[in-house]
Amino acid sequence: MDAQRALLDELMGAARNLTDEEKKGYREIKWDDKEVCAPYMIRFCPHDLFVNTRSDLGPCPRVHDQKLKERVYSLSFENSPRHDSYVPRFEAELAQFCEKLVADLDRKVRRGRERLDQEVEPPPPPPISAEKAEQLSVLEEKIKNLLEQVESLGEAGKVDEAEALMRKVESLNLEKAALTQQPQNAATMLTQEKKMALCEICGSFLVANDAVERTQSHITGKQHIGYGMVRDYLAEYKEAKEKAREEERLAREKEAEERRKQREKENESKNRRSISSERDRHRDRDYGRDRERSREWNNRGNRDEGRGMDRRRQYDRNGRDGGRSTYHGRERERSRSRSPVRHGHRR
């Protein structure tokens, strides 16, 4: 019947049976409305855990609707495309609620532990009455006399008689112990009967040496199970958050390492480019020097060639002039060689 009603609600809406007048003020609730209990949607609502217990939180002020939660309904939270984006928000709200409950419970546990620690030892036994004191005095005197007799009989070698007196001494000692120790034993038994223990999960007081059935009944009780669920969820949530923070830290470190390696690669590439550029500059500078040197050699060669041409031209001129002078010199020498003959003939 409930399944059929839920199916009709899904197909026709929850307001299918309302009158037109009632529909005017009706607003269909969706899973993401503020009126809906987020802890109930994601896991459980603490208000549902302690009903009819000493830790009862009362009814939840927000809506608990199964058709807004479970996957069997098409418009439910579990079928919504926004489910994953809302999960962290709902988990954080439930964790905050559980953290408050655990903090209150831990304060209660500390107070209970302090109460147990403050329990004093049983009071000393009341003073012995005058009648008991007189009885003890008489017993002690008898024991003393008997011990003296035992000692004398032992020295006389009367062992049997000495043993008989020792048995009387032992009997008197038992009477003495009964008069002095009976009230203390009663107080100790009373303390053992009232020995209490404290449950660290739910903060309940227990009898330390209680029967197994009562202890099992406490463990399977609604309050103990409820606080166990609260503590387990809070520990699970904190562990998941710590794991997420650790993964985020590792991711940041990995990203930083990758950036460092990328910078090293970029610096190495820049260094290679710088070295290559420096090499190119040296090569260009050497090439410029070579060109300059070549130009100088060419200019020097041109100058030398020019000077050679000048020397050749000068040589040529000298050669021609020299030839002419030589010719005239030879003519003059011939004339001189002939002239003495003439002069001698004339003489």
Side-chain angles (χ1 to χ4, degrees):
M1 189 67 181
D2 292 337
Q4 294 176 354
R5 186 180 298 109
L7 180 61
L8 290 174
D9 289 344
E10 183 178 353
L11 295 175
M12 303 176 60
R16 65 185 186 280
N17 295 326
L18 299 181
T19 63
D20 294 338
E21 187 65 25
E22 291 173 339
K23 288 180 180 180
K24 292 180 181 179
Y26 175 79
R27 183 178 68 85
E28 188 173 0
I29 297 177
K30 300 179 181 179
W31 63 264
D32 57 347
D33 290 340
K34 294 182 179 180
E35 294 88 347
V36 177
C37 179
Y40 173 80
M41 300 299 292
I42 193 64
R43 187 72 68 88
F44 59 84
C45 177
H47 288 272
D48 296 338
L49 301 179
F50 308 106
V51 179
N52 297 328
T53 67
R54 288 181 297 174
S55 301
D56 195 341
L57 302 175
C60 182
R62 294 191 286 181
V63 175
H64 291 191
D65 193 344
Q66 189 176 4
K67 70 182 180 63
L68 298 177
K69 176 181 180 180
E70 295 184 353
R71 190 178 294 275
V72 294
Y73 303 100
S74 60
L75 299 179
S76 68
F77 168 64
E78 294 182 355
N79 287 324
S80 174
R82 296 179 294 159
H83 173 272
D84 293 343
S85 62
Y86 271 76
V87 165
R89 184 190 307 178
F90 288 175
E91 287 181 343
E93 185 173 341
L94 177 56
Q96 185 177 3
F97 197 164
C98 291
E99 196 163 15
K100 183 178 182 303
L101 289 176
V102 169
D104 294 339
L105 179 61
D106 286 343
R107 284 194 293 269
K108 178 181 177 182
V109 170
R110 283 195 298 271
R111 290 194 299 267
R113 196 181 295 114
E114 290 172 0
R115 285 178 55 188
L116 292 179
D117 293 340
Q118 289 174 359
E119 288 185 356
V120 296
E121 295 295 328
I128 299 175
S129 62
E131 182 180 358
K132 287 185 177 182
E134 185 177 356
Q135 293 177 0
L136 287 174
S137 178
V138 172
L139 288 173
E140 289 175 354
E141 187 66 25
K142 287 182 179 180
I143 292 171
K144 182 179 178 181
N145 294 332
L146 289 175
L147 290 175
E148 291 176 356
Q149 294 177 18
V150 168
E151 185 177 358
S152 299
L153 292 173
E155 292 176 354
K158 299 179 180 179
V159 178
D160 295 336
E161 295 174 356
E163 289 179 353
L165 291 180
M166 280 299 301
R167 285 193 289 272
K168 290 183 179 180
V169 170
E170 291 175 358
S171 177
L172 293 176
N173 281 328
L174 290 175
E175 291 181 15
K176 180 182 176 181
L179 289 175
T180 56
Q181 295 180 2
Q182 185 175 0
Q184 185 176 359
N185 291 337
T188 304
M189 291 176 61
L190 182 61
T191 303
Q192 291 177 351
E193 289 177 359
K194 292 184 177 181
K195 186 66 175 178
M196 302 295 292
L198 186 67
C199 178
E200 298 289 338
I201 301 297
C202 63
S204 300
F205 284 99
L206 305 171
V207 178
N209 298 319
D210 205 352
V212 178
E213 293 79 6
R214 291 177 61 85
T215 303
Q216 188 66 26
S217 177
H218 168 76
I219 294 174
T220 57
K222 185 181 293 186
Q223 180 169 306
H224 187 88
I225 292 177
Y227 277 116
M229 291 176 62
V230 169
R231 290 182 182 276
D232 290 344
Y233 173 77
L234 191 57
E236 178 185 343
Y237 177 79
K238 290 182 177 179
E239 182 179 358
K241 294 292 287 184
E242 184 64 27
K243 183 179 179 180
R245 283 193 293 268
E246 182 66 17
E247 291 177 353
E248 184 179 358
R249 184 185 66 81
L250 294 176
R252 287 198 304 268
E253 290 180 355
K254 183 178 180 181
E255 184 179 357
E257 182 66 17
E258 291 177 354
R259 287 199 301 268
R260 185 184 65 80
K261 291 181 179 180
Q262 184 65 25
R263 285 195 300 270
E264 289 179 355
K265 288 182 180 180
E266 292 175 356
N267 292 334
E268 185 178 355
S269 178
K270 287 180 181 179
N271 292 335
R272 285 199 298 267
R273 288 197 299 269
S274 177
I275 294 172
S276 177
S277 177
E278 186 68 21
R279 189 179 297 129
D280 292 341
R281 284 197 298 272
H282 283 297
R283 187 163 49 245
D284 293 341
R285 191 162 52 247
D286 294 341
Y287 178 72
R289 289 198 192 99
D290 293 341
R291 291 189 61 187
E292 185 67 24
R293 191 177 296 111
S294 177
R295 274 203 246 38
E296 290 177 359
W297 279 106
N298 289 335
N299 293 335
R300 184 180 302 170
N302 292 334
R303 289 195 298 273
D304 292 342
E305 183 179 359
R307 285 195 295 273
M309 291 295 293
D310 294 339
R311 283 195 297 271
R312 283 196 295 274
R313 291 193 190 98
Q314 184 67 31
Y315 176 78
D316 292 342
R317 287 196 298 271
N318 293 337
R320 286 195 295 270
D321 295 342
R324 193 178 300 116
S325 301
T326 304
Y327 174 77
H328 291 298
R330 284 197 298 266
E331 288 296 326
R332 282 194 299 271
E333 287 178 357
R334 289 193 192 100
S335 62
R336 283 195 192 108
S337 63
R338 286 194 300 266
S339 51
V341 175
R342 288 192 205 126
H343 290 296
H345 178 72
R346 187 174 295 167
R347 282 192 300 264

